[in-house]
Amino acid sequence: MAAKTAAGEAAPRLLLVLLAAFLGAPPRGAGALRSLGVAGAGAAGGAKGDAAVDLDAGNFTAFLHAAPESFAVVEFFAHWCPACRNYKPHYEKVAKLFNGPDAAHPGSIVMARVDCASKVNLDLCNKFSVDHYPFLVWGPPAKFDSPQWKPKQENSELELIDDGRTAERLLKWINKKMGSSFSLDDKRYENESALPKNASDPEQIVRAIYDVEEATAHALQIIMEHKMIKPETRDSLVRFLQILVAHHPSKRCRRGSADLLINFDDHWHTNLSLSSQDSSTLLTSVAGDNICGKGVPHGYWMFCRGSKKETRGFSCGLWVLLHSLTVRIGDGESQSTFTSICDFIHNFFICDECREHFYEMCSSVSAPFKSARDLTLWLWRAHNKVNERLMKEEKDLDTADPSFPKVIWPPKQLCPSCYRSSSRAADGTMQVEWDEDEVFRFLVDYYGKKLVSSYRETYMDFHLQVTKQASTSDDSSSSSAATVPIGAALGVAVASCTFGALACFWRTQQKNRKQRKNWN
């Protein structure tokens, strides 16, 4: 039966303007960076075992704006409503097809719910003209950020689901709307079409931005939980955070990294290790439990999702992050970025064997890097070395992901022009003669343009143009040298200046605090 129904210290203004402009937010004086995170009054989530995500007025907009899915279904309900309690198993049955690590069809639809019986959600439910329970609304996630919506409103991409009172009827409505053929009997990975085609579809990397954010948050979570910040590792974390502020492909991760970096010394001093309580305080003060913003569920891998719970995921997301950083830096940052990446993995990657193997590759580099191209190709070679080693180990131990076996990368399906020739050795390993100019172009395009980023395309075009000119001219002083577009040059200059300004600001804060401490 339907029921009726009725929310720091002041800094130099010029520096804050630069930082706020770079991070995509208006300057708001002292403590501005701290307020740049995604708004929310608690992390989104649901009851244990629920697939649908419980939202409230504090995280509703942020969560749906961040959702990578094409469509969303939001159920407005009241916890005291018997009809809602009886409907929950039906809604959950459909939600399990699309939400969570065991979903059969991830990345298509995100399903959430809002409890209108909670006072904090009263205005939110009124905004959507909720007049009965359960009340289901369909549409693109970003379109739920509406000042006011009515069920029969014209020219709206949101739509009331008027025939979804059972799981079967709700899924039938969705299939009709999408032209799909989802079934309640669909299981995870039984249908090959449910898997990301990483090896053959270059557009799949677009979905990896979510995984890069998840990997960034998970890496920091591990550092805090295991109390890995010590006097001897402190500086390496600071340097890595500085790179994330300037070059992370996700704007909201840049915001969170900047906030953490600027407030770092408030929570952790140079001669002390973080206690468990301090770790929790520091992490919560930045962004709840996620450096890239609140309202993002954990463990919801998309591009990096394996066919087994123990495969891919975090390690895949971390590799994508590192590759994306190398294609975004400038030539003058190549050596410092190399050192920061190596030190970060050595000090904070918790898998001992993996960490040592990576650091051995770092230690084998005999000369400083002088260009972003050289660093990008070094990391690509290092990744392939890791894949070659793991291919043999996983084959012997039968631990490989059957749907995502390790391969020499990129495969020909992704970049045929990267291959000059290839053959298979007697032991079964692939021998490839690479065209490294083509490989570099591919890496910049794949981890730059295709991976969602707020960097302007002119910046990536600049990298490609310089590479093309360098490969066709032996004389660097020739009149045919690459001409840098004004927009690209300005973008690089702003990013470099902002990066330097942030580092200078952070160091100045430290000195001022030390001076005040000495005076006191």
Side-chain angles (χ1 to χ4, degrees):
M1 182 174 180
K4 298 289 180 180
T5 179
E9 291 180 329
R13 180 169 297 275
L14 177 59
L15 179 60
L16 281 173
V17 169
L18 283 171
L19 289 172
F22 176 68
L23 294 171
R28 288 176 281 182
L33 287 176
R34 191 160 33 251
S35 64
L36 285 173
V38 177
K48 187 174 181 180
D50 284 357
V53 181
D54 283 329
L55 301 177
D56 58 34
N59 57 24
F60 183 86
T61 299
F63 176 84
L64 290 173
H65 264 296
E69 291 82 0
S70 301
F71 297 100
V73 177
V74 178
E75 176 200 4
F76 295 90
F77 73 103
H79 63 263
W80 50 258
C81 169
C84 298
R85 289 197 296 270
N86 292 335
Y87 181 66
K88 181 177 179 179
H90 292 275
Y91 193 70
E92 275 293 306
K93 195 171 183 180
V94 178
K96 282 181 168 65
L97 293 174
F98 306 106
N99 287 22
D102 294 319
H105 304 287
S108 302
I109 303 169
V110 60
M111 298 186 65
R113 57 166 66 97
V114 174
D115 185 359
C116 293
S118 175
K119 290 183 179 180
V120 72
N121 296 326
L122 182 60
D123 290 341
L124 176 62
C125 295
N126 286 338
K127 184 176 79 168
F128 284 92
S129 306
V130 177
D131 62 359
H132 64 270
Y133 301 130
F135 187 93
L136 275 62
V137 181
W138 162 277
K143 298 301 180 181
F144 281 80
D145 184 13
S146 171
Q148 186 69 37
W149 180 81
K150 296 181 179 180
K152 295 184 179 180
Q153 182 173 313
E154 295 182 357
N155 301 320
S156 174
E157 294 184 56
L158 301 183
E159 185 173 347
L160 180 68
I161 299 178
D162 54 5
D163 188 20
R165 298 306 299 271
T166 66
E168 291 76 13
R169 288 163 67 177
L170 175 57
L171 190 59
K172 181 179 179 180
W173 191 98
I174 291 172
N175 280 331
K176 182 178 179 181
K177 192 69 181 176
M178 295 184 66
S180 54
S181 56
F182 300 130
S183 167
L184 292 174
D185 295 325
D186 291 348
K187 301 296 181 183
R188 182 187 180 193
Y189 302 118
E190 286 186 353
N191 184 350
E192 188 182 11
S193 65
L195 293 171
K197 299 294 193 298
N198 302 41
S200 59
D201 182 3
E203 300 305 323
Q204 286 291 335
I205 191 65
V206 173
R207 307 169 73 192
I209 189 65
Y210 184 91
D211 295 348
V212 172
E213 293 176 337
E214 178 77 17
T216 305
H218 191 59
L220 183 62
Q221 189 75 48
I222 290 173
I223 291 170
M224 297 300 182
E225 289 177 352
H226 292 269
K227 293 178 280 188
M228 301 175 76
I229 305 177
K230 301 174 182 178
E232 61 271 21
T233 63
R234 180 182 190 274
D235 289 346
S236 64
L237 178 57
V238 168
R239 287 192 296 269
F240 192 72
L241 286 171
Q242 289 174 334
I243 295 173
L244 297 187
V245 170
H247 300 299
H248 198 291
S250 164
K251 181 182 293 185
R252 56 184 178 173
C253 291
R254 294 200 299 273
R255 294 172 181 170
S257 300
D259 206 358
L260 176 58
L261 184 62
I262 288 178
N263 292 287
F264 198 81
D265 201 44
D266 291 335
H267 302 276
W268 191 85
H269 304 289
T270 55
N271 58 343
L272 295 173
S273 296
L274 274 174
S275 67
S276 178
Q277 183 177 358
D278 289 337
S279 296
S280 177
T281 301
L282 175 57
L283 194 59
T284 302
S285 71
V286 176
D289 62 349
N290 192 331
I291 191 175
C292 295
K294 297 178 183 178
V296 179
H298 294 288
Y300 195 56
W301 304 104
M302 297 187 66
F303 175 82
C304 287
R305 189 172 185 227
S307 62
K308 300 178 180 180
K309 287 185 178 180
E310 66 271 17
T311 60
R312 307 189 81 227
F314 173 56
S315 60
C316 167
L318 189 58
W319 273 115
V320 177
L321 170 62
L322 297 182
H323 284 296
S324 71
L325 293 176
T326 64
V327 302
R328 284 172 167 77
I329 62 166
D331 288 342
E333 301 169 277
S334 55
Q335 180 59 31
S336 60
T337 301
F338 165 73
T339 303
S340 297
I341 288 174
C342 290
D343 287 346
F344 180 80
I345 297 297
H346 184 62
N347 290 318
F348 301 113
F349 195 65
I350 204 164
C351 170
D352 285 340
E353 183 178 352
C354 307
R355 178 173 59 197
E356 292 307 318
H357 278 299
F358 192 87
Y359 205 68
E360 284 176 9
M361 292 188 293
C362 291
S363 302
S364 67
V365 176
S366 57
F369 289 96
K370 295 182 179 181
S371 70
R373 178 185 187 276
D374 291 343
L375 178 58
T376 299
L377 291 175
W378 175 84
L379 186 66
W380 161 71
R381 294 188 202 99
H383 197 167
N384 269 337
K385 286 181 181 178
V386 172
N387 279 353
E388 288 176 351
R389 175 173 58 83
L390 292 179
M391 269 191 277
K392 297 175 183 178
E393 293 180 4
E394 291 177 352
K395 182 179 180 181
D396 294 339
L397 299 172
D398 194 26
T399 56
D401 188 322
S403 298
F404 298 94
K406 295 290 188 296
V407 295
I408 298 300
W409 201 88
K412 278 190 176 181
Q413 300 100 305
L414 277 178
C415 184
S417 62
C418 293
Y419 287 69
R420 285 179 174 163
S421 64
S422 62
S423 60
R424 195 167 292 279
D427 62 356
T429 58
M430 181 69 73
Q431 304 293 321
V432 180
E433 181 185 359
W434 298 98
D435 184 332
E436 293 194 346
D437 288 335
E438 289 297 317
V439 171
F440 178 63
R441 291 189 182 95
F442 168 80
L443 295 172
V444 170
D445 182 67
Y446 194 73
Y447 291 112
K449 281 187 176 180
K450 287 189 170 64
L451 183 62
V452 176
S453 169
S454 64
Y455 268 57
R456 294 177 179 175
E457 289 195 358
T458 51
Y459 180 71
M460 293 304 163
D461 289 338
F462 163 64
H463 273 289
L464 291 172
Q465 183 177 1
V466 170
T467 305
K468 183 176 180 179
Q469 292 288 347
S471 66
T472 57
S473 176
D474 294 328
D475 183 3
S476 60
S477 63
S478 169
S479 60
S480 64
T483 302
V484 180
I486 294 176
L490 181 60
V492 173
V494 170
S496 299
C497 289
T498 305
F499 180 71
L502 178 61
C504 181
F505 174 53
W506 185 80
R507 288 195 299 270
T508 302
Q509 276 199 324
Q510 282 189 310
K511 291 179 181 179
N512 291 340
R513 288 192 184 97
K514 289 179 181 177
Q515 289 175 354
R516 288 196 296 270
K517 184 177 180 181
N518 292 335
W519 292 338
N520 295 332

